Amino acid sequence: MTISQLKEILRDNQQKLTGNKPELLKRIIKNISAEKYSARLPKIYKATKNGRRELETRWAYIENQREMYGFLNSEIAALEGTNTQEQLLEKLFVRDIIKHGAARDFGLLRNAYFNAHKFFKKRRRLKDSISALLAAIYFDLTGMSNNNTVESYSTMGYVFETSLWSELDKEFTALNLSTTELMLLFDDAVDAATKPPFSYFGVGTMKEMILARLSGQQDLLNRYEKHRNTPSENSPNYNYFDLSHPYNSAEGEEIIQKLAAGEISSKSGCSAFLIFLVAIFLINRYSF
Amino acid sequence: MANLPAKLLSVADLLLLNEFDGRQAGYKIPSYRLDEYGYDYLQRVQKLIGTGYLEICAA
């Protein structure tokens, strides 16, 4: 309420009008019975006792929607009854982590860890929160994406630009960890995670990169390029298409040869190949 | 949106209840705003009040 509204109540009840806002409020509460001014107070919507019970016992639905965790309402409903709302969501995160790991959808797996990190952070479970965050960072640094596909090294620039790093910085400081303790947590997170079929970096190099990033160093992908592993386009264990050099791929060579031989028109051939490349790129980057 | 078990609020109602809890009652709900079922937003708030899950009281 504004000062003039408060003064109006005081005036109508023959009270002094001097003082600041807290003093006017105190005078109203002390000297005037509530029935005399309740009609003038602003009204709010408020959950009743029944409403509050609903909100508390079904908090998982609201949290799922607000934080965009992506669980289906039916999945939440299926776990209701035997679990608290917190246990219920935790079970769904664990299930998602197992599911995406088994399906080798490493982008979705990374996102599931990130969502788990947000969840634990909100519940002030900082050790769990930082462990989930480190697991998400681990999968970013492996270069593995959905459909068991390895991203091109040249498209990984975003890895050091995500919000994961500011989150890590904050939690590292909040938990007052030493770098050794942080690295032990990283080891534990990696040990507990699904093993990817390929990683651009070994765990030791990743640790160096994490500490370098936390100390504010930049351009880490270039600086550590000499330590990286190189994926193969012919591996039976994962899919890899080198989008930075598309015409190195067998499909590209084949199309170029056909174009040169006049077997297909350049317009349709180029379009088909470009669509193929763009589709693979989009699936790898945005399907999670 | 899937419904919760019978006799309880639907998930859509639950989210609406959460959205309105603590909101000033003078808030003007746009008349064109419809929910995902095509129902009027204000009607659904009134339904929450009518079924005893939401009330209007002094701040």
Side-chain angles (χ1 to χ4, degrees):
Chain A
M1 287 184 90
T2 62
I3 289 182
S4 62
Q5 286 170 320
L6 295 175
K7 282 185 176 175
E8 206 177 308
I9 296 174
L10 288 164
R11 191 179 297 115
D12 291 351
N13 289 279
Q14 293 82 45
Q15 298 290 321
K16 274 192 342 189
L17 305 180
T18 54
N20 57 23
K21 196 170 180 180
E23 285 166 342
L24 299 177
L25 269 172
K26 207 188 279 180
R27 198 172 300 137
I28 290 174
I29 294 165
K30 197 176 164 195
N31 300 341
I32 307 171
S33 67
E35 309 91 72
K36 290 189 175 170
Y37 59 83
S38 60
R40 298 193 197 180
L41 292 176
K43 301 285 186 291
I44 57 163
Y45 292 105
K46 193 175 165 199
T48 60
K49 202 171 157 193
N50 277 348
R52 182 126 325 269
R53 193 175 57 230
E54 285 296 303
L55 289 175
E56 280 163 11
T57 56
R58 297 199 151 64
W59 162 81
Y61 293 93
I62 298 163
E63 185 77 353
N64 179 49
Q65 179 88 2
R66 191 163 45 200
E67 296 295 325
M68 294 187 284
Y69 292 145
F71 301 126
L72 299 175
N73 290 324
S74 55
E75 291 172 331
I76 299 174
L79 288 175
E80 272 196 325
T82 54
N83 305 285
T84 65
Q85 298 288 291
E86 186 174 346
Q87 288 169 337
L88 187 156
L89 283 182
E90 198 171 335
K91 280 190 176 180
L92 287 171
F93 286 123
V94 172
R95 187 216 58 175
D96 261 16
I97 286 167
I98 293 170
K99 184 177 80 178
H100 297 315
R104 310 224 144 200
D105 281 329
F106 293 100
L108 293 173
L109 178 59
R110 176 261 195 212
N111 285 0
Y113 274 116
F114 183 61
N115 279 336
H117 147 72
K118 284 199 293 180
F119 169 76
F120 288 132
K121 184 183 167 192
K122 215 164 178 183
R123 313 303 296 167
R124 304 295 303 157
R125 290 166 58 179
L126 289 188
K127 271 268 167 73
D128 291 325
S129 166
I130 200 167
S131 295
L133 188 60
L134 287 166
I137 287 174
Y138 167 66
F139 283 106
D140 269 356
L141 291 174
T142 63
M144 290 304 301
S145 185
N146 292 335
N147 304 317
N148 203 29
T149 300
V150 182
E151 292 202 35
S152 288
Y153 196 72
S154 59
T155 64
M156 281 180 58
Y158 72 92
V159 163
F160 285 104
E161 305 302 325
T162 63
S163 60
L164 270 59
W165 296 98
S166 55
E167 288 289 309
L168 182 64
D169 203 13
K170 274 188 249 166
E171 297 205 352
F172 178 51
T173 309
L175 280 164
N176 200 19
L177 294 172
S178 67
T179 52
T180 311
E181 286 168 326
L182 181 70
M183 291 301 100
L184 285 173
L185 282 175
F186 183 69
D187 281 335
D188 288 346
V190 172
D191 282 348
T194 301
K195 297 290 160 288
F198 173 82
S199 175
Y200 277 112
F201 302 105
V203 173
T205 309
M206 287 184 187
K207 286 180 181 175
E208 282 182 33
M209 295 170 97
I210 291 169
L211 294 180
R213 182 65 174 75
L214 283 176
S215 65
Q217 295 179 38
Q218 302 292 323
D219 200 27
L220 295 175
L221 281 179
N222 279 336
R223 284 178 46 203
Y224 280 86
E225 185 161 10
K226 59 178 179 290
H227 300 292
R228 79 173 174 99
N229 301 312
T230 305
S232 160
E233 291 201 349
N234 304 313
S235 171
N237 300 322
Y238 53 81
N239 305 310
Y240 176 64
F241 311 97
D242 188 350
L243 294 176
S244 62
H245 304 289
Y247 290 100
N248 286 342
S249 70
E251 291 90 339
E253 287 293 341
E254 196 180 325
I255 287 175
I256 289 170
Q257 282 166 15
K258 283 183 178 175
L259 280 168
E263 289 175 33
I264 52 176
S265 79
S266 61
K267 198 177 168 190
S268 63
C270 282
S271 303
F273 185 57
L274 278 174
I275 288 167
F276 166 74
L277 289 175
V278 169
I280 289 170
F281 177 75
L282 289 175
I283 287 166
N284 289 341
R285 290 294 299 276
Y286 300 114
S287 62
F288 51 86
Chain B
M1 232 178 240
N3 280 340
L4 290 170
K7 291 185 185 174
L8 298 170
L9 292 174
S10 72
V11 175
D13 287 338
L14 186 69
L15 295 171
L16 193 68
L17 176 62
N18 183 60
E19 187 183 332
F20 271 76
D21 183 27
R23 178 179 283 184
Q24 197 159 329
Y27 169 75
K28 197 172 185 308
I29 302 166
S31 57
Y32 55 81
R33 187 167 170 186
L34 302 178
D35 71 5
E36 64 272 30
Y37 304 112
Y39 289 116
D40 186 272
Y41 207 64
L42 189 55
Q43 266 181 13
R44 290 183 49 224
V45 175
Q46 284 164 344
K47 184 186 136 198
L48 283 175
I49 294 170
T51 47
Y53 288 104
L54 190 68
E55 62 185 353
I56 295 176
C57 59

